[in-house]
Structures are given as structure tokens and as C-alpha cells.
Amino acid sequence: MPTRSSDVLVIGGGVNGLACAARLAAAGCKVVLLETTGKVGGGAGEREFAPGFRAPALAHLTQGLDSRMVDGMGLARHGLVFHPPLATTVVSATGDHLVVRGGQTTGPDAAAWAALQAKLSAFARVLAPFRQMPPPRLSGQNRWPGLARQALGIRTLGRANLRELLRMILINVHDVAEDELTDDRLKGLLAFDATLGAWLGPRSPNSLILYLDRLARGEGSLLPKGGMAALAAALGRAAESAGVRVRTTAAVQQVLVEGGRAVGVLLADGEEIRSGLVVSAIHPRTTFHGLVGAAALDAGFYRATGHIRSRGGAAKLHLALRDAPDFRGADLRSRLVIAPSSEVVEAAFNPVKYGEVPDSPVLEAILPSAHEPGQAPEGAHVLSAIVQYAPHAPRAGLSAARAALLEAALGVLEAHAPGLRGLVSHADLLMPQDIEARFGMVGGNWHHGELAVEQMLFNRPQFGAAHYSTPVDGLWLAGAGSHPGGGINGAAGWNAAGALLEARA
Ligand SMILES: Cc1cc2nc3c(=O)[nH]c(=O)nc-3n(C[C@H](O)[C@H](O)[C@H](O)COP(=O)(O)OP(=O)(O)OC[C@H]3O[C@@H](n4cnc5c(N)ncnc54)[C@H](O)[C@@H]3O)c2cc1C
């Protein structure tokens, strides 16, 4: 028996689904959010991966939550508090570490790093507002006042800086590192941060723009007090208090389309829910191919959905450690980055193009247990690492590749923290295929579709669905696959709600 319980059904309880649902509910819509797992948060969850050891599900740090979402949902009121921003330690195998806090560091390149960061941050500041508005349209219907304001913002850079932005914006980050820096540790960090979560290497064309996008999100690396679970809980509480009805263990199997219009969803358990609008905050390919189906879509559009590139190159490693590791004296409360040079980052990317595992992966690690009691038993520790790169389609098969990457990652960690291997009581490595199976991120891709120049703005996720509306009347997109992409950020979901409300006005 179909039920009509809402104006809007939102599919997916990740940060974007929650942001979108909360904004719609706050504007007076009756919203039901459907999440397939037992709790909200998506990539921002937490789980016990070994008895007594808790680790972030995927994301272990935020790199700039959308400020409109933070304020609009009142996340502070709902318990979200952050630890002070984490410094980054570029960990050296000889103990010659370098500590970096935003634009500040020490060593021979201290001034060059500060100058480079100031320049790139200025570029990022003028690009940042574009993250908070729908992509420009190629024809008609642009919100010209908004666009014109942003264009004026770019002009405030001044002629010389504007020329420099235009020279650099499509350049690769390796060349920038070579041009501006001499210290391999900083070159490695720049290359690593630009390519984190992307399916490209530092020498790939357009890799600098991802670094600008990272800077445009602002704030640096933040760890919520209480861990990522506390962030997910605050998002859930805030959405509910805005009026969203959150239903977990509600897997959407189909978007119901009648006469070219989305009229509700069918759940995996057979329940049919009717609604005025459906918003999908899950991967666009899953939305169109899995939930809508070819019969309701134009053949060209359906084919283009299949061409959305969604290769994931990041693996997630969790280690249960009997004792604190010693990274040759590095501060265990910092963000530890092992990326000795830009060349090493590139060399770690090359094999995954051919489905192979790199011998020396690069990685970002944090020890949540160094910040929070209760993440591990007394005296023990949890290490959470993002390991790059991992082949999304391993030639040797998934389990052989998983074993090889685990071995390679442990080798790298041991070289930087002698004795670490002997502390490991349990290791858990999620390859891109595991991430797809567990979180529904197609290809295991961080952004629900690669964030690359050709899949940005009006091409994100694909032409015809780039403004959150879709060719199916009443069906909208709101997940990381839409502009401006993913990360624990919420801009895509917040923007989608804004576009939807504007269309209804
Ligand atoms: C290895 C790895 C490490 C990462 N680390 C970081 C990090 O440190 N910092 C950071 O900012 N970002 C990180 N990310 C990226 C981040 O996790 C994602 O970009 C972010 O989670 C996207 O948010 P979302 O709300 O769009 O989608 P998701 O978080 O994927 O949420 C989608 C939700 O929809 C649900 N769902 C799926 N299908 C259905 C269905 N049919 N019916 C109902 N519900 C459904 C899922 O269960 C999920 O809860 C990482 C990603 C990866 C792969």
C-alpha cells in the first residue's frame, strides 16, 4: 500500500543528503531522508574494526565544512566542536621532519613556501564563491548579478596576479613545485595534498586546480571532538531538529517515474513511498542506471551517465596498535604525511594506471586515539591512514592486490616508524572495490565521480544534470557527484536545496 508521507524524499544520509534535507525542512518542506545503513554520516561515520578499536569509516579529517551549512544547521548548537587545527608533519625516514602550519614552516624554503601559499590562497579566495553557487549555464538563465560579482572578485586580484592565475590554473602541480621550491619535503607535501582523493598524479595536466580547490574550502585539517562519529551525530541531530524525518535501514531500490515525472521511491523491502519530489544524494550513476533505469531516460543521456569517470585511487588503512608508534620523534597529534618528494608521489600513481600496486605508496595518517580517549583500549592506539595509490581494477584480483598494498604500506610505515609492525594487532585495509561495496561510492571514488577539469562546473556530473535538476521532472541531485564535488563539506547538498527552493518559488 503506497504511503504519501512527504513533499520531498532525500536518498542518502551522508553530509550532502543531510545538508540538503535540513535546508529544505527549514524552508518549510516536509522532508523524509532515507539511508540504507543503520546510521547517518556516510563517509563521515565511525566503526569498531577490532574489539575495542574504533576508526573513522573513511574520512578522518574535515578540510573545510561549508560555512553556510555549519551556521544554517546550527551545528555548534548540536554539539559540533573541533580540536585546534592539526599541524602537518612531513615525516622523514631519517628523522629530519618538517612541520607545516598552513603558510608557515621552517627550513631553507620557509620564505618560498609562505610566498607560494599566499599567492595560491589569494587565487583560492576568488574561486571560493563559485563553490557556493550553481555552475554557470552555457546559455540563458544565468543569475548574472551573482556571476558578475564573482567576476569582479577575480578582477580585484590586479592585472599581474590575474595573469599569473590564468597561467597557473591549468598547470600541473609538479611543475609548480619545481618552479617555486627546492626542499623535496615541501614538494612532496604540495604534490600529495593536490592529488589526495584524485585519480591523477602530480604530473597529470590540471593537477594544481585541485590544490586551489582544497585551499578554497578553507580552514585546514580539522578533527571533530569525539571523532567523526560526533560530526555525523551532530549532522543527524541538526537535520532532525530542522524537521527532517530520518529513516535508517531504508534502502532505496527504485525511483518511481510516471509520465516522465518522479513520484516516489520503492524500498528494497517492497515499501512504496510517494512524494512530490525526489532528491538523490548518492552517486549519479547509481541514481540514473540503478534507480531510474534506461526506460525513463533519453538514450544519449543514459549513455553519458555510463561515461562519468569514477576511478578511486585511495585506500583506507586502519591499524590496531598495542602501543604508541614512534615516528622518530614526530608529534603523534599532528597530521603525518609520508610523501618524500613529488617524484615519489608520481611513482606511486604510475602503477595503478595498469591495475598494479605501487611498491612505495604515499600516505596521510592520524592517530585518533592520541586525541580522544575511548578510541582504543588503555595504552593502545589506532592509526587511520589514507594510502595512495590503490588500483580500482587490480590485475592480480582484489585479495592479492589488497595483500600487496597492505604489505607495501606497512613497509613504508616501518621505514618511518621502526618497530611499528611489531605493534600491529589487527590491520584492516579497504581497497576502492571494498569502498564501493560498503559505501556505494562507484569505483571507490572519493567524489562520487572524479574531480577533474573535464568533470567540473557544467560538466558535473554530466551535461543535462549539472544544475541539480535532472531530465526527469521532480528528480534532483544533491551528492558529491554534483558541483562542487565531495569531501566532508556539504556544499553540493546545500546548493542543491537552494536551487530546488528557487525553482519552486
Ligand atoms: C578512502 C577515502 C578517504 C576519505 N577521506 C576523507 C577525509 O579525510 N576528509 C574528507 O573531507 N573527505 C574524505 N573522503 C571523501 C568523503 O568521504 C566523501 O566525499 C563524502 O563522504 C561524500 O559525501 P556525500 O554525502 O555526498 O556521500 P556519502 O558520504 O557517500 O553518503 C551517501 C549515503 O547514501 C547512502 N546510500 C547509498 N545508496 C543508498 C540507497 N540506495 N538508499 C539509501 N541510502 C543509500 C550511503 O549509505 C551513504 O550513507 C574520503 C573518501 C575515501 C574514499
Side-chain angles (χ1 to χ4, degrees), residues 11-17 34-37 41-43 58-63 250-252 281-282 314-316 386 435 439 441 444 446 448 479-480 486-488:
I11 307 170
V15 61
N16 282 310
L34 303 165
E35 164 57 41
T36 187
T37 66
L58 284 179
H60 57 199
L61 294 169
T62 70
Q63 296 150 1
V252 176
I282 66 173
K316 188 72 204 291
I386 299 166
I435 291 167
F439 297 90
M441 297 176 171
W446 181 294
H448 293 194
I488 303 304

Short mmCIF file of all heavy atoms in Angstrom, two decimals, residues 11-17 34-37 41-43 58-63 250-252 281-282 314-316 386 435 439 441 444 446 448 479-480 486-488, ligand 1:
data_model
loop_
_atom_site.label_atom_id
_atom_site.label_comp_id
_atom_site.label_asym_id
_atom_site.label_seq_id
_atom_site.Cartn_x
_atom_site.Cartn_y
_atom_site.Cartn_z
N ILE A 11 17.37 10.75 -0.79
CA ILE A 11 18.01 9.42 -0.75
C ILE A 11 19.46 9.60 -0.34
O ILE A 11 20.24 10.26 -1.05
CB ILE A 11 17.95 8.73 -2.14
CG1 ILE A 11 16.52 8.69 -2.67
CG2 ILE A 11 18.54 7.33 -2.06
CD1 ILE A 11 16.43 8.26 -4.14
N GLY A 12 19.86 9.00 0.77
CA GLY A 12 21.26 9.03 1.21
C GLY A 12 21.48 9.97 2.38
O GLY A 12 21.16 11.16 2.30
N GLY A 13 22.04 9.42 3.44
CA GLY A 13 22.24 10.19 4.67
C GLY A 13 23.69 10.56 4.91
O GLY A 13 24.14 10.59 6.06
N GLY A 14 24.45 10.85 3.85
CA GLY A 14 25.80 11.42 4.02
C GLY A 14 25.68 12.91 4.30
O GLY A 14 24.57 13.45 4.43
N VAL A 15 26.82 13.57 4.40
CA VAL A 15 26.80 15.00 4.73
C VAL A 15 25.96 15.80 3.74
O VAL A 15 25.22 16.71 4.14
CB VAL A 15 28.26 15.55 4.83
CG1 VAL A 15 29.01 15.42 3.53
CG2 VAL A 15 28.28 17.01 5.27
N ASN A 16 26.01 15.43 2.45
CA ASN A 16 25.25 16.20 1.46
C ASN A 16 23.75 15.96 1.56
O ASN A 16 22.96 16.90 1.44
CB ASN A 16 25.77 15.90 0.05
CG ASN A 16 27.06 16.63 -0.23
OD1 ASN A 16 27.15 17.84 -0.02
ND2 ASN A 16 28.08 15.92 -0.68
N GLY A 17 23.35 14.70 1.75
CA GLY A 17 21.92 14.42 1.91
C GLY A 17 21.37 15.13 3.12
O GLY A 17 20.27 15.72 3.09
N LEU A 34 16.06 8.98 3.53
CA LEU A 34 16.16 7.53 3.55
C LEU A 34 17.61 7.10 3.45
O LEU A 34 18.30 7.44 2.48
CB LEU A 34 15.37 6.95 2.36
CG LEU A 34 13.89 7.36 2.32
CD1 LEU A 34 13.29 7.07 0.95
CD2 LEU A 34 13.11 6.66 3.43
N GLU A 35 18.10 6.38 4.45
CA GLU A 35 19.50 5.95 4.49
C GLU A 35 19.53 4.43 4.61
O GLU A 35 18.88 3.85 5.46
CB GLU A 35 20.21 6.61 5.69
CG GLU A 35 21.53 6.00 6.10
CD GLU A 35 22.59 5.94 5.00
OE1 GLU A 35 22.73 6.91 4.24
OE2 GLU A 35 23.26 4.88 4.90
N THR A 36 20.34 3.83 3.73
CA THR A 36 20.32 2.37 3.67
C THR A 36 20.97 1.69 4.88
O THR A 36 20.53 0.63 5.32
CB THR A 36 20.98 1.88 2.35
OG1 THR A 36 20.82 0.49 2.24
CG2 THR A 36 22.45 2.21 2.30
N THR A 37 22.01 2.32 5.44
CA THR A 37 22.69 1.68 6.58
C THR A 37 21.93 2.01 7.88
O THR A 37 20.91 2.69 7.85
CB THR A 37 24.14 2.18 6.71
OG1 THR A 37 24.12 3.57 7.05
CG2 THR A 37 24.93 1.98 5.43
N GLY A 41 25.66 9.63 8.14
CA GLY A 41 27.07 10.06 8.15
C GLY A 41 27.79 9.68 6.87
O GLY A 41 28.71 10.36 6.45
N GLY A 42 27.42 8.56 6.25
CA GLY A 42 28.10 8.11 5.04
C GLY A 42 29.60 7.98 5.30
O GLY A 42 30.01 7.33 6.26
N GLY A 43 30.41 8.65 4.47
CA GLY A 43 31.87 8.58 4.61
C GLY A 43 32.36 9.18 5.91
O GLY A 43 33.53 9.03 6.27
N LEU A 58 35.65 6.36 6.70
CA LEU A 58 36.52 6.73 5.57
C LEU A 58 37.24 8.02 5.92
O LEU A 58 38.43 8.04 6.18
CB LEU A 58 35.69 6.95 4.29
CG LEU A 58 35.18 5.71 3.57
CD1 LEU A 58 34.37 6.12 2.34
CD2 LEU A 58 36.33 4.79 3.15
N ALA A 59 36.49 9.12 5.93
CA ALA A 59 37.10 10.43 6.18
C ALA A 59 37.59 10.49 7.62
O ALA A 59 36.87 10.10 8.54
CB ALA A 59 36.08 11.52 5.93
N HIS A 60 38.82 10.96 7.82
CA HIS A 60 39.30 11.10 9.19
C HIS A 60 39.55 12.55 9.60
O HIS A 60 39.79 12.82 10.77
CB HIS A 60 40.49 10.19 9.49
CG HIS A 60 41.67 10.36 8.59
ND1 HIS A 60 42.64 9.39 8.47
CD2 HIS A 60 42.05 11.37 7.78
CE1 HIS A 60 43.57 9.81 7.63
NE2 HIS A 60 43.24 10.99 7.20
N LEU A 61 39.50 13.47 8.64
CA LEU A 61 39.62 14.90 8.94
C LEU A 61 38.67 15.65 8.02
O LEU A 61 38.44 15.21 6.89
CB LEU A 61 41.04 15.40 8.65
CG LEU A 61 42.17 14.86 9.51
CD1 LEU A 61 43.52 15.25 8.89
CD2 LEU A 61 42.07 15.40 10.93
N THR A 62 38.14 16.77 8.46
CA THR A 62 37.42 17.61 7.51
C THR A 62 38.42 18.63 6.96
O THR A 62 39.37 18.99 7.64
CB THR A 62 36.24 18.36 8.15
OG1 THR A 62 36.76 19.36 9.01
CG2 THR A 62 35.34 17.43 8.93
N GLN A 63 38.18 19.04 5.73
CA GLN A 63 39.07 20.06 5.15
C GLN A 63 38.24 21.27 4.79
O GLN A 63 38.32 21.80 3.69
CB GLN A 63 39.77 19.52 3.92
CG GLN A 63 40.70 18.38 4.22
CD GLN A 63 40.82 17.42 3.06
OE1 GLN A 63 40.23 17.61 2.01
NE2 GLN A 63 41.59 16.38 3.26
N ALA A 250 16.76 1.94 5.41
CA ALA A 250 15.75 2.13 4.36
C ALA A 250 16.50 2.23 3.03
O ALA A 250 16.95 3.31 2.65
CB ALA A 250 14.94 3.39 4.63
N ALA A 251 16.68 1.10 2.37
CA ALA A 251 17.44 1.06 1.11
C ALA A 251 16.53 1.34 -0.06
O ALA A 251 15.56 0.59 -0.30
CB ALA A 251 18.09 -0.31 0.95
N VAL A 252 16.82 2.38 -0.80
CA VAL A 252 16.01 2.71 -1.97
C VAL A 252 16.45 1.83 -3.14
O VAL A 252 17.63 1.76 -3.48
CB VAL A 252 16.13 4.20 -2.33
CG1 VAL A 252 15.35 4.52 -3.61
CG2 VAL A 252 15.65 5.07 -1.18
N ALA A 281 21.00 11.93 -3.16
CA ALA A 281 22.33 12.37 -2.68
C ALA A 281 23.28 11.18 -2.67
O ALA A 281 24.15 11.08 -1.81
CB ALA A 281 22.20 13.01 -1.30
N ILE A 282 23.09 10.29 -3.64
CA ILE A 282 24.04 9.18 -3.82
C ILE A 282 24.69 9.35 -5.20
O ILE A 282 24.42 10.32 -5.91
CB ILE A 282 23.37 7.80 -3.63
CG1 ILE A 282 22.34 7.53 -4.73
CG2 ILE A 282 22.69 7.73 -2.26
CD1 ILE A 282 21.76 6.13 -4.69
N ALA A 314 42.30 5.88 -3.80
CA ALA A 314 42.68 5.96 -2.38
C ALA A 314 42.19 4.71 -1.65
O ALA A 314 41.05 4.28 -1.84
CB ALA A 314 42.07 7.20 -1.75
N ALA A 315 43.05 4.16 -0.82
CA ALA A 315 42.65 3.04 0.04
C ALA A 315 42.64 3.55 1.47
O ALA A 315 43.27 4.55 1.80
CB ALA A 315 43.65 1.89 -0.11
N LYS A 316 41.90 2.86 2.33
CA LYS A 316 41.81 3.28 3.74
C LYS A 316 42.39 2.18 4.61
O LYS A 316 41.96 1.02 4.53
CB LYS A 316 40.34 3.57 4.10
CG LYS A 316 40.17 4.20 5.47
CD LYS A 316 40.65 5.65 5.49
CE LYS A 316 41.03 6.13 6.88
NZ LYS A 316 39.94 6.26 7.79
N ILE A 386 45.15 7.26 4.91
CA ILE A 386 44.70 7.21 3.51
C ILE A 386 45.94 6.89 2.70
O ILE A 386 46.94 7.61 2.76
CB ILE A 386 44.08 8.55 3.08
CG1 ILE A 386 42.86 8.83 3.97
CG2 ILE A 386 43.69 8.51 1.62
CD1 ILE A 386 42.36 10.26 3.88
N ILE A 435 35.43 -0.19 -0.89
CA ILE A 435 34.74 1.07 -0.57
C ILE A 435 33.45 1.17 -1.38
O ILE A 435 32.40 1.56 -0.87
CB ILE A 435 35.69 2.26 -0.84
CG1 ILE A 435 36.83 2.24 0.20
CG2 ILE A 435 34.95 3.59 -0.81
CD1 ILE A 435 38.00 3.15 -0.09
N PHE A 439 30.21 1.40 0.79
CA PHE A 439 29.66 2.77 0.89
C PHE A 439 28.89 3.20 -0.36
O PHE A 439 28.36 4.31 -0.40
CB PHE A 439 30.79 3.78 1.15
CG PHE A 439 31.50 3.56 2.45
CD1 PHE A 439 32.62 2.74 2.52
CD2 PHE A 439 31.03 4.15 3.62
CE1 PHE A 439 33.27 2.51 3.73
CE2 PHE A 439 31.67 3.93 4.83
CZ PHE A 439 32.79 3.11 4.89
N MET A 441 30.15 4.07 -3.17
CA MET A 441 30.86 5.07 -3.98
C MET A 441 31.40 4.34 -5.21
O MET A 441 32.34 3.55 -5.10
CB MET A 441 32.01 5.67 -3.19
CG MET A 441 31.56 6.43 -1.96
SD MET A 441 32.99 7.01 -1.01
CE MET A 441 32.21 8.08 0.19
N GLY A 444 34.90 3.37 -5.94
CA GLY A 444 35.58 3.77 -4.70
C GLY A 444 36.04 5.22 -4.77
O GLY A 444 36.88 5.65 -3.98
N TRP A 446 36.37 9.03 -4.26
CA TRP A 446 36.20 9.98 -3.14
C TRP A 446 35.05 10.97 -3.39
O TRP A 446 34.33 11.37 -2.49
CB TRP A 446 37.54 10.71 -3.04
CG TRP A 446 37.80 11.73 -2.03
CD1 TRP A 446 37.22 12.96 -1.91
CD2 TRP A 446 38.80 11.67 -1.00
NE1 TRP A 446 37.79 13.65 -0.88
CE2 TRP A 446 38.76 12.89 -0.31
CE3 TRP A 446 39.73 10.69 -0.61
CZ2 TRP A 446 39.62 13.18 0.76
CZ3 TRP A 446 40.58 10.98 0.45
CH2 TRP A 446 40.51 12.20 1.14
N HIS A 448 32.43 10.70 -5.71
CA HIS A 448 31.29 10.16 -6.48
C HIS A 448 31.44 10.54 -7.96
O HIS A 448 30.47 10.97 -8.59
CB HIS A 448 29.95 10.69 -5.98
CG HIS A 448 29.54 10.25 -4.61
ND1 HIS A 448 28.28 10.40 -4.13
CD2 HIS A 448 30.23 9.65 -3.61
CE1 HIS A 448 28.19 9.92 -2.89
NE2 HIS A 448 29.37 9.47 -2.55
N GLY A 479 24.35 15.05 -4.23
CA GLY A 479 25.52 14.41 -3.61
C GLY A 479 26.84 14.97 -4.12
O GLY A 479 26.89 15.93 -4.92
N ALA A 480 27.92 14.32 -3.69
CA ALA A 480 29.27 14.75 -4.06
C ALA A 480 29.50 14.73 -5.56
O ALA A 480 30.39 15.42 -6.06
CB ALA A 480 30.30 13.86 -3.36
N GLY A 486 33.11 16.49 -3.69
CA GLY A 486 32.95 15.85 -2.38
C GLY A 486 33.88 16.34 -1.31
O GLY A 486 34.27 17.50 -1.26
N GLY A 487 34.24 15.39 -0.46
CA GLY A 487 34.88 15.73 0.81
C GLY A 487 33.76 15.93 1.82
O GLY A 487 32.58 16.09 1.45
N ILE A 488 34.13 15.92 3.09
CA ILE A 488 33.13 16.17 4.13
C ILE A 488 32.95 17.68 4.17
O ILE A 488 33.68 18.39 4.85
CB ILE A 488 33.58 15.59 5.48
CG1 ILE A 488 33.86 14.09 5.34
CG2 ILE A 488 32.52 15.84 6.55
CD1 ILE A 488 32.72 13.26 4.79
C1 LIG B 1 39.41 6.34 1.27
C2 LIG B 1 38.68 7.64 1.42
C3 LIG B 1 39.08 8.53 2.40
C4 LIG B 1 38.44 9.77 2.53
N1 LIG B 1 38.89 10.64 3.49
C5 LIG B 1 38.34 11.89 3.57
C6 LIG B 1 38.81 12.82 4.53
O1 LIG B 1 39.69 12.54 5.36
N2 LIG B 1 38.23 14.05 4.55
C7 LIG B 1 37.22 14.41 3.70
O2 LIG B 1 36.73 15.54 3.75
N3 LIG B 1 36.73 13.52 2.79
C8 LIG B 1 37.26 12.27 2.71
N4 LIG B 1 36.76 11.36 1.80
C9 LIG B 1 35.68 11.78 0.90
C10 LIG B 1 34.31 11.76 1.59
O3 LIG B 1 34.13 10.59 2.34
C11 LIG B 1 33.18 11.87 0.53
O4 LIG B 1 33.49 12.82 -0.44
C12 LIG B 1 31.87 12.25 1.22
O5 LIG B 1 31.53 11.23 2.13
C13 LIG B 1 30.74 12.47 0.23
O6 LIG B 1 29.58 12.82 0.95
P1 LIG B 1 28.13 12.51 0.36
O7 LIG B 1 27.16 12.91 1.40
O8 LIG B 1 27.99 13.12 -0.98
O9 LIG B 1 28.10 10.94 0.13
P2 LIG B 1 28.35 9.72 1.10
O10 LIG B 1 29.15 10.11 2.28
O11 LIG B 1 28.86 8.62 0.23
O12 LIG B 1 26.90 9.36 1.63
C14 LIG B 1 25.94 8.71 0.80
C15 LIG B 1 24.99 7.96 1.71
O13 LIG B 1 23.98 7.35 0.91
C16 LIG B 1 23.71 6.06 1.40
N5 LIG B 1 23.11 5.28 0.30
C17 LIG B 1 23.76 4.77 -0.78
N6 LIG B 1 22.88 4.12 -1.58
C18 LIG B 1 21.66 4.24 -0.98
C19 LIG B 1 20.35 3.78 -1.32
N7 LIG B 1 20.10 3.07 -2.44
N8 LIG B 1 19.31 4.06 -0.47
C20 LIG B 1 19.52 4.79 0.66
N9 LIG B 1 20.75 5.24 1.02
C21 LIG B 1 21.80 4.98 0.21
C22 LIG B 1 25.07 5.56 1.86
O14 LIG B 1 24.94 4.51 2.80
C23 LIG B 1 25.66 6.83 2.47
O15 LIG B 1 25.35 6.95 3.84
C24 LIG B 1 37.36 10.10 1.67
C25 LIG B 1 36.93 9.19 0.70
C26 LIG B 1 37.58 7.97 0.56
C27 LIG B 1 37.11 7.01 -0.50
#
